[in-house]
Amino acid sequence: MRVCIVGAGIGGLTLAGGLLQHGHNVIVLERSATLRSAGAGLLLQQRALKQLDALGIRVQGQPFDGFSLGLQDGVPRVQNPGSGLAVTREALHQALTDAAVGADIRLGCSLIGWEMDDDTVRVHLDDGTTLTVDHLVGADGIGSVVRQQLSGRVIRQYAGYTCWRALTSHRVPLSRPCEYWGHGARVGLVPVKDGTYVYLTLNAPPRRRQAPPADIFASFGGPIADALASIPDDDWIQNDIDYLRGSVWGGGRVRLLGDAAHGFTPNLGQGACQAIDDAGQLIRYFGGEANQYPGPCRRRAWGFAAASNSLGMIAQSSGPLLNGIRDMMIRLMGAWIR
C-alpha cells in the first residue's frame, strides 16, 4: 500500500514508522526546509508510551509520578495522580525520525490539493508534480490544508491567551511537573532529563509578539524566579493558543489525525499523546486489526477538548471574585489532601 502523509510532526512520523513496519510504501511531505522539532517540551502519558513501545520506539526523558498545582505564591498545594515521561520535543522528534528511516521524506514540499476516487488519491504538490497513492493522511496541524479541502472551512478560534515556552539547563527543586495559577497568568515548571521545561500563559490580544512581561511573572514566588532568570528573552518561543471548533476525521481514502483532526487547547498536556494515539489506531485500521477509524480516538479527543477548554477558562480567570473562590478551593483541597 502506498500512503502519503502530510506533515512530519509527532503524529505524522509515528504513523510513518508504524506503516513502514507493516511493509507499506510511505511518502511524507513536510513544508519546512529542515526536519526539526518546533517547541520545547511535553508530557507523554502512559497511553502514549505504550503505543510507542508497541512500535519499538524509545525516547529518553524524566519519569514523573503525578502533577502538582499551586498558586501565585509558588507553593505546590494539590497533588494530582498520573504518571509518564517528561521529554524535550527534540528528543521525541529524533526518536520518531529514526523510526521513520525508509520513508520518502520530502522537505520544503507543500500540498496544494488532492482528488480522490474509488481506488486512488491524486496528490498535487507545489512543485507541479502529482503523486498517485492509495491513501492520503493529513497530519499537518491546526492549519491543515487537507482538512481545509475536506470540510471547506476551518474555524480556528483564539482561546484568549498566549503562551511562551523554553528549555533551561537550570534544575528546579521539584520531583514532578507543577503548574502555578495567578490572575490571568500561569507558570508551568516541568523537570526534564537535562534541566527544566518552562511555560508561561497570559491573557492577551491575539497576534502580539513580545517577550514575557517581567512585571507580571515576577510576582510569582517559590522556584519560579530563578527558573525565569535563567532564560534569555530570545530563547522563548511564543504561540497564541488556538483551537478548532469541532473535529473532522475524514473518510474513504483521505483521513486526518492529531491537531488536523481535532486541535484542542494544551491545558491537559494531551495533544502529543492524542496524536500518537490517533496514529496507532490508524496503523491498526490500515492493517485490518481495527474495523474503524477513528474508533475510540473520537471519544477521547472529544473529552479532552471539552475538559481542556474548560480548565483553561478557570485557570486563566482574572476577575477578583472568581479568582478568590478558585484560590480558596485550591487551598482547601491542598489542606484536605494532606
Side-chain angles (χ1 to χ4, degrees):
M1 190 168 66
R2 196 177 193 214
V3 181
C4 179
I5 302 169
V6 183
I10 292 171
L13 289 177
T14 302
L15 178 62
L19 292 178
L20 286 170
Q21 291 182 18
H22 286 73
H24 299 302
N25 186 318
V26 180
I27 303 168
V28 181
L29 309 179
E30 172 54 50
R31 64 183 179 183
S32 297
T34 57
L35 190 61
R36 59 181 179 82
S37 60
L42 49 83
L43 302 177
L44 294 177
Q45 320 289 345
Q46 288 299 327
R47 190 180 78 258
L49 291 174
K50 289 178 181 178
Q51 190 70 253
L52 293 175
D53 186 63
L55 296 173
I57 298 172
R58 305 287 188 272
V59 58
Q60 297 296 314
Q62 178 69 38
F64 61 87
D65 61 357
F67 312 87
S68 299
L69 176 62
L71 296 174
Q72 199 160 344
D73 57 8
V75 178
R77 297 178 183 276
V78 179
Q79 310 299 324
N80 299 303
S83 63
L85 196 67
V87 303
T88 65
R89 280 188 175 266
E90 182 179 6
L92 176 59
H93 199 265
Q94 186 60 58
L96 296 176
T97 301
D98 292 344
V101 169
D104 178 6
I105 300 179
R106 305 188 182 188
L107 302 177
C109 184
S110 295
L111 171 79
I112 60 173
W114 51 267
E115 295 144 7
M116 175 177 62
D117 57 31
D118 291 341
D119 300 315
T120 60
V121 184
R122 291 176 299 282
V123 180
H124 305 296
L125 309 182
D126 60 350
D127 63 1
T129 61
T130 297
L131 305 174
T132 301
V133 297
D134 297 296
H135 294 276
L136 173 67
V137 179
D140 47 342
I142 199 168
S144 172
V145 176
V146 182
R147 175 170 173 146
Q148 178 74 38
Q149 185 169 336
L150 268 173
S151 62
R153 183 165 171 241
V154 177
I155 303 176
R156 186 166 173 164
Q157 184 75 36
Y158 179 51
Y161 45 97
T162 193
C163 180
W164 293 269
R165 300 176 175 91
L167 289 170
T168 173
S169 59
H170 172 78
R171 293 180 179 274
V172 293
L174 298 172
S175 60
R176 56 173 59 94
C178 187
E179 186 171 283
Y180 305 87
W181 291 3
H183 298 271
R186 284 178 284 167
V187 176
L189 301 178
V190 180
V192 292
K193 189 171 182 291
D194 296 314
T196 308
Y197 162 44
V198 183
Y199 62 88
L200 316 173
T201 65
L202 178 69
N203 293 347
R207 322 310 170 206
R208 179 180 292 177
R209 303 296 95 185
Q210 60 178 337
D215 58 331
I216 293 176
F217 293 105
S219 62
F220 283 78
I224 297 169
D226 288 342
L228 297 186
S230 70
I231 303 171
D233 285 349
D234 291 343
D235 284 3
W236 291 105
I237 302 168
Q238 184 183 5
N239 297 101
D240 286 344
I241 302 300
D242 293 338
Y243 63 93
L244 297 179
R245 290 187 179 178
S247 58
V248 177
W249 297 89
R253 294 183 176 275
V254 178
R255 304 285 177 161
L256 297 174
L257 64 77
D259 282 349
H262 48 65
F264 49 80
T265 58
N267 297 299
L268 295 177
Q270 288 286 349
C273 296
Q274 187 64 40
I276 292 169
D277 200 18
D278 295 348
Q281 180 70 7
L282 196 49
I283 291 165
R284 291 187 289 272
Y285 175 73
F286 282 153
E289 301 169 37
N291 58 14
Q292 59 179 326
Y293 176 81
C297 294
R298 183 191 301 273
R299 182 178 65 255
R300 280 195 287 265
W302 181 88
F304 287 139
S308 183
N309 288 345
S310 297
L311 180 62
M313 291 176 62
I314 296 170
Q316 291 294 139
S317 63
S318 57
L321 178 59
L322 183 57
N323 274 135
I325 295 172
R326 182 199 71 181
D327 293 358
M328 180 179 67
M329 291 180 63
I330 291 174
R331 289 189 175 95
L332 289 174
M333 286 174 61
W336 178 74
I337 292 173
R338 284 196 295 271

